[in-house]
């Protein structure tokens, strides 16, 4: 009987000191705490009488890469920060770094063949070969019509400005409206929510392409060349198998 009692006691001590059972108890406590929070609260968010939870409102101006509103940009609940453009709008020659020769190429293409630069930007942004002709040819037609009938390139910016919006959203770059609001603080009261802010940013992208079209194309080209490789360079490595050399059998001593 003593042995049985000792065995029961020992098994009880072993079960109490087992880490698996300890983790089981911790998980059970967490489950109970979660159930207790269901009545009136769900994950720290109050539930109205209708039963639908309301997400906490975002304190900042946050948008994801595809332009959708983002309540919290990180796991800790902090808003996602904006990135600045690598070069300014009027830095046509770029910066003196490893991309200096590429910046000069972008400047020449923007001044002499903006249709080629725009097609290259869209092709690099889409990361898919074949999109160059689909955007370069329509741009060239609008460019020629605008210069022939109106004396300046007034039609192509209507076709090309969405690429600037796509670049800004993809890399979470600071827009012109937000930059103006940050510098002087006079535009923040003009909008009420994030959707209106994004509409203002799109309008600023359009105005940039209309009044500073070539500079906008060059800035976008410099930004894309520093951030994304050309899709034509993404070739898969080829494994080459070389046959073994000639082998000779040596005579034993």
């Amino acid at each position: 009987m003593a042995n049985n009692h000792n065995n029961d006691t020992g098994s009880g001590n072993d079960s109490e000191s087992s880490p698996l059972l300890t983790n089981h108890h911790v998980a059970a406590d967490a489950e109970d705490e979660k159930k207790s929070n269901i009545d009136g609260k769900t994950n720290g968010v109050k539930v109205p009488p209708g039963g639908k939870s309301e997400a906490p409102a975002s304190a900042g101006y946050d948008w994801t890469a595809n332009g959708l509103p983002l309540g919290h940009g990180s796991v800790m609940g902090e808003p996602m920060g904006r990135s600045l453009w690598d070069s300014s709008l009027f830095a046509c020659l770029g910066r003196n770094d490893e991309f200096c020769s590429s910046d000069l190429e972008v400047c020449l293409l923007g001044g002499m063949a903006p249709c080629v630069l725009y097609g290259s930007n869209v092709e690099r942004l889409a990361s898919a070969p074949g999109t160059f002709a689909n955007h370069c040819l329509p741009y060239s037609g609008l460019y020629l019509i605008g210069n022939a009938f109106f004396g300046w390139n007034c039609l192509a910016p209507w076709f090309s400005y969405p690429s600037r919006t796509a670049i800004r959203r993809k890399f979470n770059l600071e827009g012109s409206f937000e930059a103006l609001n940050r510098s002087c603080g006079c535009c923040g009261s003009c909008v009420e929510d994030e959707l209106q802010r994004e509409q203002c940013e799109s309008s600023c992208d359009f105005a940039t392409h209309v009044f500073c079209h070539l500079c906008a194309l060059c800035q976008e080209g410099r930004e894309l060349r520093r951030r994304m490789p050309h899709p034509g360079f993404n070739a898969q490595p080829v494994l080459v198998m070389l046959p073994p050399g000639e082998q000779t059998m040596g005579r034993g001593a």
Side-chain angles (χ1 to χ4, degrees):
M1 296 295 291
N3 292 334
N4 295 334
H5 180 72
N6 292 334
N7 292 334
D8 296 338
T9 306
S11 62
N13 294 333
D14 293 338
S15 64
E16 292 178 357
S17 61
S18 176
L20 296 177
L21 294 179
T22 303
N23 294 334
H24 176 72
H25 292 317
V26 173
D29 295 338
E31 185 69 18
D32 294 337
E33 183 179 358
K34 182 178 179 181
K35 291 181 180 179
S36 64
N37 291 333
I38 292 178
D39 187 13
K41 292 185 178 180
T42 302
N43 293 333
V45 180
K46 294 184 178 179
V47 180
K52 296 182 180 180
S53 60
E54 298 178 355
S58 175
Y61 169 37
D62 307 323
W63 287 79
T64 56
N66 57 0
L68 298 177
L70 180 65
H72 295 287
S74 63
V75 180
M76 301 302 295
E78 298 178 356
M80 183 183 296
R82 292 291 189 181
S83 301
L84 299 178
W85 291 78
D86 185 79
S87 57
S88 63
L89 182 64
F90 301 105
C92 297
L93 298 180
R95 297 192 291 110
N96 188 15
D97 55 2
E98 62 271 16
F99 295 93
C100 181
S101 60
S102 181
D103 294 342
L104 295 178
E105 178 186 357
V106 168
C107 182
L108 293 176
L109 286 177
M112 302 176 62
C115 57
V116 177
L117 179 59
Y118 171 70
S120 176
N121 291 345
V122 177
E123 185 180 25
R124 193 180 294 263
L125 179 63
S127 299
T131 57
F132 176 83
N134 295 334
H135 291 80
C136 180
L137 295 179
Y139 180 94
S140 301
L142 294 174
Y143 180 85
L144 294 176
I145 294 174
N147 284 275
F149 290 94
F150 301 100
W152 64 295
N153 185 19
C154 60
L155 298 180
W158 292 79
F159 179 73
S160 62
Y161 88 91
S163 64
R164 185 175 186 85
T165 303
I167 293 172
R168 180 174 51 80
R169 292 179 179 178
K170 183 178 182 63
F171 303 115
N172 193 32
L173 299 176
E174 186 181 51
S176 302
F177 180 82
E178 190 174 2
L180 183 62
N181 185 28
R182 177 177 53 83
S183 60
C184 62
C186 60
C187 302
S189 59
C190 300
V191 295
E192 297 179 355
D193 54 6
E194 287 80 2
L195 182 59
Q196 293 183 359
R197 286 178 180 269
E198 182 59 24
Q199 292 175 353
C200 292
E201 292 289 1
S202 299
S203 301
C204 291
D205 294 338
F206 172 72
T208 303
H209 266 254
V210 170
F211 297 105
C212 302
H213 181 62
L214 298 182
C215 293
L217 289 180
C218 291
Q219 184 188 26
E220 295 161 12
R222 293 190 300 269
E223 193 74 25
L224 288 173
R225 295 193 179 207
R226 282 173 168 79
R227 291 180 178 269
M228 300 182 66
H230 194 274
F233 298 153
N234 294 337
Q236 298 293 332
V238 179
L239 181 62
V240 179
M241 302 295 294
L242 297 178
E246 298 182 357
Q247 298 179 358
T248 58
M249 299 180 64
R251 297 181 178 179

